[in-house]
Amino acid sequence: MKKKLPIENTELPWEHPKPKAEDPHAQQLIQKIMQSPTYRLAEEDVDFLQSYDTRGIRLELDYLKAELQMAKAGIKHTIVVFGSARIRERKTAMANLEAIQKKVKEHPEDETLMRELYVAERMLEKSIYYDDARMFGRYVSRSGKGPEDSRVVIMTGGGPGIMEAANRGAYDVGAKTVGLNIHLPHEQFPNPYITPELCFQFHYFAIRKLHFLNRAKALVVYPGGFGTFDELFETLTLIQTRKNDPIPVVLVGRSYWSKAVDFDFLAEEGVIAREDLEIFHFADNAAEAWKHILHWHETYNTPLLAKGEKNGIEEKDDQ
């Protein structure tokens, strides 16, 4: 047994409360003091930590937790994938369509059901993007030295749809993959294909966005809605204004994006410069997108892969 130092055997006067013999009310008064919120340790005082005045500290913690863990995991570069959370794999989209078709057959005059039928048909068509995003995740994750190589990993918003597909592609080949979830008023589950120790939940959208670009070596954007547009245009703006170093931005699904945003019109109207159209690139599939990203980095002398390393595309897919 370790022998205690003499000072450790010395009893200090504050180790015991004031005795009743000196003041019969002392114990009660001490209890009131110790139950006061001000007596809590700051790090254990949830009310204090969630107050308006400590927002700066919460912002720092929101950033630091994920930053330290990714550094510990050896995550150096990320390929960020955005896209709709509503786009599902084909079998799910097909089942949804068949269920609505059955309802329409029973109520052919219902206009709401007819609208749902149209949307379900469109979502079935877009299920090809789920398969493609999954394939893209495989390409990235098999590149370099293979799935165990954490220099370049897939990062998504951690939700369902396209995000799930990209994480799933990495999971398919046994690679690490990152998911950045956000705490929302309604319950949100992460998709099941994120590496557990690399799945983070953020309180602030701003900090989440910071992590999206902190290690990003490319942004790949599949068809999506408000959230997808938000991330896309913020990234384009940061590159346009030189607040972020240029990275390849690839919009997958030329037919979708040409209808969703008329970029040429914006240039013709003079609200963006014609050169701004060079910030991003259209691609029709995962292979084209990944080849463009690799070529872009080679062109600007920032290669993602060392000479002789595989690009992940040529390997045979059994799934």
Side-chain angles (χ1 to χ4, degrees):
M1 181 181 292
K2 185 179 178 181
K3 188 176 181 181
K4 290 186 177 182
L5 295 170
I7 192 172
E8 293 180 287
N9 293 318
T10 304
E11 193 171 88
L12 300 171
W14 50 79
E15 291 186 26
H16 301 283
K18 186 176 180 66
K20 285 186 179 181
E22 295 182 10
D23 184 346
H25 302 293
Q27 297 284 341
Q28 184 179 1
L29 294 172
I30 289 173
Q31 284 300 315
K32 291 180 68 174
I33 291 171
M34 295 181 71
Q35 290 171 5
S36 170
T38 59
Y39 195 74
R40 299 174 194 154
L41 287 171
E43 64 191 54
E44 297 176 359
D45 189 343
V46 176
D47 293 330
F48 168 69
L49 292 175
Q50 293 182 349
S51 67
Y52 176 85
D53 302 280
T54 57
R55 180 170 291 172
I57 296 171
R58 294 199 304 276
L59 283 162
E60 182 177 357
L61 291 174
D62 216 29
Y63 169 78
L64 192 59
K65 181 178 180 180
E67 175 62 25
L68 293 177
Q69 184 60 27
M70 280 192 275
K72 181 180 178 181
I75 308 300
K76 295 183 178 180
H77 306 308
T78 58
I79 306 298
V80 181
V81 180
F82 292 140
S84 176
R86 301 172 190 269
I87 295 176
R88 304 302 180 125
E89 54 187 311
R90 182 173 178 80
K91 63 180 181 181
T92 303
M94 178 63 78
N96 183 52
L97 174 59
E98 290 173 349
I100 295 175
Q101 286 174 331
K102 183 177 179 180
K103 292 180 181 179
V104 170
K105 190 174 182 180
E106 296 170 354
H107 306 281
E109 303 301 323
D110 191 318
E111 293 184 3
T112 300
L113 283 176
M114 292 302 294
R115 172 60 186 165
E116 291 180 6
L117 177 63
Y118 173 79
V119 172
E121 291 171 342
R122 301 296 296 159
M123 294 306 287
L124 177 61
E125 291 180 16
K126 282 192 281 291
S127 66
I128 61 171
Y129 293 119
Y130 183 100
D131 295 333
D132 197 71
R134 185 176 178 181
M135 186 63 68
F136 182 80
R138 292 178 190 169
Y139 291 158
V140 175
S141 302
R142 292 187 307 209
S143 65
K145 297 178 181 179
E148 297 300 318
D149 185 359
S150 295
R151 287 175 302 165
V152 183
V153 301
I154 289 288
M155 174 184 280
T156 78
I162 294 299
M163 296 173 282
E164 173 186 296
N167 289 132
R168 189 174 185 177
Y171 176 86
D172 287 339
V173 299
K176 291 180 180 178
T177 182
V178 185
L180 308 185
N181 280 110
I182 187 76
H183 182 70
L184 299 172
H186 51 277
E187 190 171 16
Q188 177 185 352
F189 290 96
N191 73 65
Y193 306 108
I194 305 165
T195 303
E197 61 271 22
L198 293 173
C199 187
F200 307 98
Q201 185 173 201
F202 293 87
H203 180 78
Y204 297 102
F205 269 106
I207 299 300
R208 181 177 181 245
K209 290 179 176 180
L210 177 58
H211 272 296
F212 274 135
L213 289 177
N214 207 24
R215 290 173 168 81
K217 289 301 178 181
L219 171 64
V220 177
V221 191
Y222 282 84
F226 286 165
T228 303
F229 275 65
D230 174 45
E231 303 292 356
L232 168 61
F233 279 99
E234 180 150 6
T235 302
L236 293 178
T237 301
L238 289 170
I239 295 174
Q240 179 199 51
T241 57
R242 284 37 168 203
K243 294 292 287 184
N244 196 86
D245 290 336
I247 59 173
V249 177
V250 185
L251 308 184
V252 181
R254 192 186 308 267
S255 60
Y256 175 85
W257 288 109
S258 63
K259 291 181 180 179
V261 187
D262 192 339
F263 290 103
D264 287 324
F265 172 76
L266 297 178
E268 290 168 3
E269 289 292 304
V271 294
I272 63 172
R274 178 59 61 176
E275 296 76 30
D276 292 336
L277 299 179
E278 298 176 8
I279 297 175
F280 59 90
H281 174 82
F282 290 109
D284 286 320
N285 55 60
E288 185 181 338
W290 184 224
K291 286 178 180 178
H292 170 76
I293 291 167
L294 294 175
H295 178 71
W296 188 98
H297 280 285
E298 289 173 2
T299 300
Y300 292 99
N301 297 315
T302 56
L304 295 180
L305 308 177
K307 188 174 181 179
E309 289 184 335
K310 54 190 176 182
N311 64 16
I313 297 177
E314 286 78 13
E315 294 185 39
K316 182 180 178 181
D317 284 294
D318 297 323
Q319 299 179 18

